[in-house]
Amino acid sequence: MSRVYNFSAGPAALPREVLEQAQAEMLDWQGTGMSVMEMSHRGKAFVSIAEDATTRLRRLLGVPDNYSVLFLQGGAAGQFAGVPLNLMGSNPRGDYVVTGNWGKKAIKEAGKYGDPHKAASAEDTNFTTIPARDSWDVRDDAAFLHYTPNETIQGVEFHDTPDVGDVPLVADMSSNFLSRPVDIEKFGVIYAGAQKNAGPAGITMVIVRNDLMGKPQSGCPMILDYQQQADADSMLNTPSCYAWYICGLTFAWLEKQGGLDAIETINKRKAAKLYDFIDASDFYTNPVDPAVRSRMNVPFLLADDALNADFLTKAEEAGLSTLKGHRSVGGMRASIYNAMPEAGVDALVDFMADFEKTHG
């Protein structure tokens, strides 16, 4: 069976090399006579897997020693609660910049645990822009400022890290994590669900500055307590062992590509190919302000919505899978994460051009 080009927003495509290595090691991981899925998380074999993955992630991102790297469960949505529960222990004020659906969900969840404040919102533009930094209403005494560097649904991305002074910056990086270099020291907390660029669904990476741990709200569950998880090496309970293993393979694959500088160059090139084609077309449009277009998630509309179903059917027949846009936005969406090869973007552009010729 030939593999399709999978443009799913998540769970998303994984590198073929990673899948092939996992396949080869499925029944017997490095002579242990068992699958990673069967190992005790306390055993020497899995501990070595976890330590290797953690070391590789630290190396890829240049994580300083005064930050902890956690591999947790509950998805990024779990961290919508985890962030306020850990950072609002002595100060209930959390500021939020809302640039799409995930930012809306994050601030709503935070309302259960403190006093979240909408410092800025792009809802008045249907989340097709990012409010200018000088328009943000950031409280000097806020416990943190939370934002979403890339909104998966709307296709809006910050291309620079916002300066918020001494207020700890918190980022839900789920959909552009590991797609480019990041200056970790500009952040208090970074969290990301694995299922876009790092591995399969079921595990979430949290990178937290150590001085922000150890002061949670009294009602914080132990499973969400950053300090307890750091002290237990992310193993307060049985972790998502297989997902952690696949993440480690993906980190190794990224290193083989040349690291985050190299993958960013590729991602820029892939996105430019698709956006340049859309912008040159009278048949396709992208609704997002060009200055803040996402490199990871490219929404686009056809000139006639009545053609959407035919476009999707023919795309699937051509081996281009999962291009339907989110129900709240409509149209199409091509998610072109790290594992999407340039050949996949080329194939999509060629298909779109042919479809325009016959239907435009």
Side-chain angles (χ1 to χ4, degrees):
M1 186 183 86
S2 61
R3 284 175 58 78
V4 299
Y5 289 120
N6 177 11
F7 293 93
S8 173
L14 286 163
R16 185 184 183 101
E17 292 175 37
V18 168
L19 295 173
E20 288 175 342
Q21 184 172 348
Q23 180 185 48
E25 296 177 338
M26 176 60 73
L27 296 180
D28 179 8
W29 184 82
Q30 297 191 9
T32 60
M34 68 180 83
S35 168
V36 174
M37 283 186 280
E38 302 170 294
M39 293 176 178
S40 166
H41 64 293
R42 303 291 186 191
K44 182 178 179 180
F46 184 75
V47 168
S48 72
I49 290 171
E51 289 178 345
D52 180 72
T54 304
T55 297
R56 290 183 187 278
L57 182 57
R58 281 187 170 276
R59 190 162 58 226
L60 279 166
L61 286 167
V63 179
D65 291 341
N66 63 320
Y67 285 74
S68 293
V69 174
L70 311 176
F71 289 81
L72 307 181
Q73 299 175 61
Q79 294 308 311
F80 294 168
V83 166
L85 282 167
N86 281 276
L87 273 58
M88 286 181 173
S90 58
N91 178 0
R93 300 174 187 83
D95 286 356
Y96 285 74
V97 175
V98 180
T99 53
N101 284 37
W102 296 112
K104 287 175 65 175
K105 291 178 183 292
I107 192 171
K108 181 179 179 181
E109 184 69 11
K112 300 175 183 178
Y113 310 107
D115 171 31
H117 163 66
K118 192 179 292 183
S121 173
E123 194 158 12
D124 62 340
T125 68
N126 292 319
F127 299 122
T128 58
T129 63
I130 291 174
R133 173 65 187 88
D134 60 10
S135 71
W136 297 6
D137 178 25
V138 180
R139 297 178 291 187
D140 291 337
D141 62 346
F144 61 88
L145 182 134
H146 178 286
Y147 81 118
T148 311
N150 186 83
E151 280 283 357
T152 317
I153 293 172
Q154 283 79 16
V156 174
E157 184 173 12
F158 286 77
H159 293 296
D160 296 297
T161 302
D163 182 359
V164 293
D166 294 330
V167 176
L169 186 61
V170 176
D172 173 5
M173 282 192 184
S174 294
S175 54
N176 66 352
F177 189 63
L178 298 177
S179 69
R180 58 172 68 187
V182 173
D183 185 350
I184 299 296
E185 292 186 303
K186 291 184 177 180
F187 297 87
V189 178
I190 291 171
Y191 64 92
Q195 67 273 13
K196 316 289 189 179
N197 270 323
I203 197 163
T204 304
M205 288 136 291
V206 179
I207 301 171
V208 55
R209 204 173 69 212
N210 292 340
D211 66 290
L212 296 175
M213 300 192 299
K215 297 166 283 191
Q217 293 187 4
S218 60
C220 181
M222 69 172 190
I223 207 68
L224 291 177
D225 186 323
Y226 295 158
Q227 187 67 67
Q228 290 194 55
Q229 287 284 12
D231 292 343
D233 296 324
S234 303
M235 295 189 190
L236 271 178
N237 68 332
T238 305
S240 297
C241 296
Y242 199 75
W244 200 338
Y245 155 72
I246 296 293
C247 285
L249 298 186
T250 305
F251 302 157
W253 175 82
L254 274 168
E255 290 182 312
K256 289 179 184 176
Q257 309 313 301
L260 300 190
D261 287 310
I263 207 71
E264 180 183 34
T265 298
I266 296 170
N267 287 331
K268 283 181 177 179
R269 193 162 59 233
K270 290 188 302 187
K273 285 182 178 181
L274 187 49
Y275 284 121
D276 287 350
F277 172 79
I278 292 170
D279 289 343
S281 168
D282 294 325
F283 187 78
Y284 302 101
T285 56
N286 171 271
V288 178
D289 176 356
V292 295
R293 284 172 167 174
S294 170
R295 297 177 193 163
M296 298 287 99
N297 310 102
V298 183
F300 59 94
L301 305 172
L302 278 61
D304 183 357
D305 285 346
L307 294 172
N308 286 356
D310 191 35
F311 180 94
L312 291 168
T313 297
K314 286 184 167 57
E316 289 282 350
E317 291 171 355
L320 307 171
S321 178
T322 329
L323 283 164
K324 186 176 181 179
H326 190 271
R327 60 185 178 276
S328 67
V329 175
M332 308 298 156
R333 174 178 52 178
S335 294
I336 50 176
Y337 300 121
N338 290 347
M340 174 58 65
E342 285 191 70
V345 176
D346 292 338
L348 174 59
V349 168
D350 289 345
F351 169 80
M352 291 170 68
D354 289 342
F355 191 87
E356 181 176 359
K357 287 177 184 177
T358 56
H359 295 80

